[in-house]
Amino acid sequence: RVQTCALPISLREHRGRGVASALIGSVADACRAENLTNLALNVDSESQTGAQRLHLALGFTATRSTTTYSVTL
């Protein structure tokens, strides 16, 4: 079983304080308690926030990418 998680974006002035690591850790703990075997994050692969480094440091690996199509109305 897999749980997909969407994380809130942290404001620049709140980054680097360990909040995202703690949040992801808490979510992972809750998933383990429910006998889930995988946790997936949906993230912006072009984000310049450094979040990708965090995800890799926490053991996540990129497994798929998607393309979003949009149109201006």
Side-chain angles (χ1 to χ4, degrees):
R1 294 176 39 200
V2 177
Q3 177 64 46
T4 301
C5 180
L7 297 175
I9 298 170
S10 59
L11 298 174
R12 181 179 310 274
E13 60 267 22
H14 297 288
R15 294 179 190 150
R17 298 181 185 188
V19 175
S21 295
L23 179 59
I24 293 171
S26 293
V27 170
D29 290 344
C31 289
R32 285 186 201 95
E34 294 294 322
N35 295 315
L36 297 171
T37 58
N38 292 81
L39 175 60
L41 300 175
N42 292 326
V43 299
D44 179 357
S45 62
E46 296 182 17
S47 172
Q48 300 296 312
T49 64
Q52 292 171 325
R53 287 189 305 277
L54 170 66
H55 302 146
L56 293 172
L58 293 174
F60 288 88
T61 58
T63 57
R64 181 178 11 166
S65 69
T66 61
T67 301
T68 301
Y69 293 91
S70 64
V71 63
T72 302
L73 302 175

